[in-house]
Amino acid sequence: MARVLISMPEEFLNKIDQIADGENRSRSELIREALRTYIYKQKIKESTGALQNATLLETLLS
């Protein structure tokens, strides 16, 4: 697995650690899950946008 170095405000990191500790998992796992969720939501948003564009184009061409 690749390692990534990121910078963030200390208070943000503290919040991440609190959540990870409360869920009995590592900081890395919490951040990976957050990124998976973000990527999934972006794909949904892109798919929804493409569907809306297709519907609009279909309406215009009808």
Side-chain angles (χ1 to χ4, degrees):
M1 190 173 300
R3 289 178 172 235
V4 176
L5 178 65
I6 61 172
S7 300
M8 67 182 69
E10 191 73 30
E11 63 187 46
F12 190 59
L13 184 59
N14 290 337
K15 184 63 175 171
I16 290 170
D17 288 341
Q18 287 174 0
I19 294 168
D21 289 343
E23 297 181 1
N24 295 315
R25 58 182 164 165
S26 70
R27 174 193 293 168
S28 291
E29 180 53 35
L30 181 68
I31 292 170
R32 280 192 297 268
E33 182 181 338
L35 289 171
R36 278 191 297 269
T37 301
Y38 177 82
I39 291 167
Y40 176 76
K41 286 181 178 181
Q42 287 302 109
K43 286 181 182 180
I44 296 294
K45 194 181 296 184
E46 288 171 10
S47 295
T48 302
L51 180 59
Q52 289 172 343
N53 289 342
T55 302
L56 177 61
L57 183 57
E58 184 178 347
T59 302
L60 291 172
L61 294 175
S62 298

